[in-house]
Amino acid sequence: MVTDMGYGAELLPEETKHAVAELAIHGMTCSSCVYLIESVLTEASGVHTASVALATKKCRVKYSSDVIGIRHIIELINGAGHFEASLASSQSRPESLSYNKEIRRWFSLFIFCLVFAIPVMVAMFDPLKAYLSVSLVPGLDVHSLAMWLIATLVQAVAGYPFYKSALYALRHKSANMDVLIVMATTIAYLYSMVVMIIAISAKRDTPKTFFEVSPFLLVFIAFGRWLEHIAKGKTSDALVNLMSLQATSTILVSLTDKGTIEKEEKIDIDLVQTGDHLKVVPGDRIPVDGKVVFGSSSVDESMLTGESLPVPKDVDHTVIGGTLNQTGLIVVQATHVGADSTLAQIVRLVEDAQTSKAPIQRYADKIAGVFVPGVLFLSLATWLVWFLLGYFYPSDIQNKHCIEELRSKNGSTSPFCLLENAFLYAVTVLSIACPCALGLATPTAVMVGTGIGAKQGVLIKGGAPLEATHKVNYVVFDKTGTLTHGQPSVVEVLPCDDQSTKVQSTKVSQPLLAIIGTAESGSEHPLGQAIVRYAKENLLTATFGTVDRFRAVPGCGLQCQVSDVHSTGESTVIPTVQSQSSSPSDVVIGNRQWLEKFGIEHIPSAVQSVMLSHEQQGRTVVLAAVNGELQAMLAIADTVRAEASLAVSTLRDIGIESIMLTGDNRRTAIAIAQQVGIDTVYAEVLPQHKCDRVKHLQENPMAGCPPTATSRPVVAFVGDGINDAPALTQADIGIAIGGGTNVALEAADIILMKNDLMDVVAAIDLSRTTVRRIRINFVWAILYNLIGLPIAAGVLSPVGISLQPWMAAAAMAFSSVSVLFSSLLLKRWKKRPRVVLATPSSSMTSGSTYSQAHSLV
């Protein structure tokens, strides 16, 4: 019909529906399980990506909901092994990170195995072994029978979960740690059964058996898994502590018109709605984010922001859910509830960070995919080599268990001796191999690192930024709201016109101030808001006039039409403004370059002199023109953060160059830079050019800066505003001030909750410490396998050094636990102590310090 009417038409392709689901998975034991689940999911039709975190037991899946459903995804995971997958709760609870169930299960299994391992250990001592070597029938004595009974019971009961997990893995053509355990215990058990049956059938002497391998191996495995899960629980302590800050119930109140409490009702926290009034008594946690509408108190915000001192709260002050009310009764009006609350968002950020993988983890994932098959091949090769060596060079094989049987009476090699020797080393290889240590090296360190950072007010969004931050070479600071407090105030307003030879000493007229205040009322820029506050305070009014055709260009200024201006007092100072109440005024406010675009190019020398004086003091100068004529100059000051110079000096001490990037004029920027000790300044940079400047730094390292160890410099950008979002995204590491805009917080990789620039140093220091710990974990895990596997295979047996299978099992359990406790050492990390700087560490002469400073217009 449409084409019949003469119009072209075509059917648009139906948009694919993408969805993201977060699942909780129980039953994972090592990195091979992670590799198996990710492989099964990514091979499924409709699944785009799958990321599994062993430490948090979480899986994040991105899929097409019109191709595959969440139930099918859960079925795939459950069918891949001995796993239990379920949809993660939308409301995070501490129980979701608890390992209590696993800890109890492995402790019970450890006690069960220990009960039988102790008698086996006692029976291995020579005096008792000789006492038990009473022959029942030819080829079978009391000792062998007792060992067989214990091994059978342990194999059937304690080995069941390992067999179940291994069968699931093999069914999906994969192999995990449990496959190695099952192979080791089963081979030792079956070999012992076969040689014992052969000895009984042939009526020979009782042969050497390996029935003790099952109880010894499983007791050490269970002990290691028990300690491993205890340590895993401790890695998530910081996140659990954050979750526990959430109140479970609160008191809902109804207020009368006079503001008094009329009715109270205790309700569950999940029933709180935006706008509800909630009563918070001293000692209770504030249930949700809100605004104080009654009472005053002091609030402890240390758990969320790291601020050690209580923060005074009065009417109209905002409060954060999860913080502790200390001194007074207050009534809070809920503004953000549920998943929108600050605490919920922090918890979600930390969970996301701990679920995501650091880039270095990809090496462990690749190794995990081939580790178990490689160990199985090595074990088979070990058996074959030792069997052939024993067959061709029997006199060179030193086996204390069968040295007497190296040759039988007719001169041929004893088959029992050959098999025993080969199986001993093959089983030892299976027992000592451990992919778990490799798989735990990165995620556990990331969990502890991000958790301890969140506890101290530094939110790091994942393993990738945590790893990349340690490589930072340049830290680029925005000025307004970052190096400064971002709450500027007007310090001077002087009238002027473009014909003046000197600045008038009188104050600006109220109509002119009203026009300027009205024009800036449509601006969200901190400087514009400062002008509005100044106008309201001086005119004693909350409203001014009407704004039309408003246009603002970040980094330049604004243009609009103002009408219906209301002011008080006389309006006879400036003729141009006297008649503005009857007709719209064309208003232009901004920097010099902005006014030049509207033909206002001439600025009297007297005005320029005053402007220069203010700019040398680090103040921002704004010019206002009405109907094409220059009318006023406004000087605005934004104080520098107290810790800014200390942060810059500390960064310099650790080899990182600090740079200022601002849209403000060059003189103001340099004045602020002199106060904080920054040597390199890029001023008058438009927001759209900030991104280009960051990219330029990434591609072109500056002369005189520390050499980089990477292919290109790594740049971190610190900002707080909407106009900083592109630069935050372009930078290798985007760092947002916690009090900044939502856009900046979303674009950043790291959020500083305390609005403290020293936390930039803390983030870099934490990253360096965490990456150093990850490398230590990796080196230990790799060296353990590189050294342990050859020793287990008998490489050092010619010099008398060899391992029994139970020794290998103990070493394997120790390797995983040692990596976990190594990661837990990160909990000892603390921020650098603050020191008082008498003067900035750099020279502050404008001639030398800023020889490299640039301006982009």
Side-chain angles (χ1 to χ4, degrees), residues 341-670:
S341 67
T342 301
L343 178 59
Q345 292 181 38
I346 292 174
V347 169
R348 186 164 60 249
L349 284 174
V350 177
E351 278 188 318
D352 291 346
Q354 296 184 346
T355 303
S356 66
K357 293 185 178 182
I360 197 174
Q361 178 66 21
R362 63 178 178 268
Y363 299 112
D365 292 341
K366 289 179 179 179
I367 294 173
V370 298
F371 185 87
V372 175
V375 171
L376 292 175
F377 175 79
L378 178 62
S379 177
L380 180 62
T382 300
W383 180 88
L384 183 62
V385 168
W386 279 106
F387 183 84
L388 294 176
L389 286 175
Y391 185 82
F392 290 106
Y393 306 99
S395 60
D396 295 330
I397 305 304
Q398 302 297 321
N399 185 350
K400 65 180 180 181
H401 296 297
C402 62
I403 192 171
E404 308 86 10
E405 297 182 306
L406 284 176
R407 289 188 180 276
S408 59
K409 293 180 180 180
N410 59 6
S412 62
T413 304
S414 168
F416 284 111
C417 178
L418 294 179
L419 290 175
E420 176 190 334
N421 204 53
F423 271 111
L424 175 69
Y425 290 115
V427 170
T428 305
V429 168
L430 292 175
S431 302
I432 202 170
C434 184
C436 298
L438 278 170
L440 293 170
T442 298
T444 53
V446 169
M447 279 193 70
V448 179
T450 54
I452 200 70
K455 188 176 180 181
Q456 301 202 35
V458 181
L459 295 182
I460 304 176
K461 296 182 180 179
L466 179 64
E467 180 184 341
T469 303
H470 87 283
K471 304 175 185 177
V472 168
N473 306 111
Y474 305 124
V475 175
V476 181
F477 291 96
D478 177 48
K479 182 180 76 68
T480 304
T482 304
L483 289 173
T484 63
H485 286 97
Q487 294 181 336
S489 57
V490 178
V491 295
E492 188 173 17
V493 180
L494 294 175
C496 58
D497 61 67
D498 56 2
Q499 304 299 323
S500 301
T501 57
K502 64 178 181 178
V503 177
Q504 301 182 28
S505 59
T506 56
K507 293 183 179 180
V508 298
S509 68
Q510 290 182 347
L512 175 58
L513 186 57
I515 289 175
I516 296 174
T518 302
E520 290 286 4
S521 63
S523 173
E524 295 182 353
H525 195 280
L527 299 181
Q529 294 174 358
I531 294 173
V532 172
R533 286 195 302 269
Y534 178 83
K536 288 181 177 181
E537 292 170 1
N538 284 269
L539 297 177
L540 302 177
T541 180
T543 59
F544 303 117
T546 304
V547 181
D548 295 311
R549 300 181 182 179
F550 182 88
R551 181 169 72 99
V553 177
C556 295
L558 62 86
Q559 176 201 20
C560 64
Q561 281 191 348
V562 174
S563 59
D564 300 327
V565 176
H566 303 286
S567 62
T568 61
E570 299 180 359
S571 58
T572 59
V573 178
I574 304 179
T576 309
V577 182
Q578 286 181 343
S579 61
Q580 295 313 316
S581 59
S582 59
S583 61
S585 302
D586 293 321
V587 182
V588 178
I589 303 176
N591 56 29
R592 277 173 281 197
Q593 290 79 12
W594 179 246
L595 266 65
E596 288 175 359
K597 291 185 178 181
F598 295 91
I600 308 170
E601 300 180 354
H602 175 66
I603 300 176
S605 58
V607 176
Q608 293 191 34
S609 177
V610 176
M611 290 173 62
L612 178 61
S613 175
H614 284 298
E615 289 171 351
Q616 288 176 343
Q617 298 177 56
R619 298 171 178 174
T620 300
V621 176
V622 175
L623 299 173
V626 180
N627 294 332
E629 296 184 10
L630 183 65
Q631 295 293 343
M633 180 202 69
L634 300 90
I636 305 171
D638 188 6
T639 56
V640 174
R641 294 180 183 272
E643 76 281 0
S645 60
L646 177 59
V648 171
S649 174
T650 308
L651 288 172
R652 182 181 291 107
D653 292 341
I654 61 176
I656 296 176
E657 180 77 10
S658 297
I659 300 170
M660 181 194 290
L661 190 61
T662 178
D664 213 335
N665 67 78
R666 188 170 183 271
R667 289 192 183 92
T668 302
I670 289 180

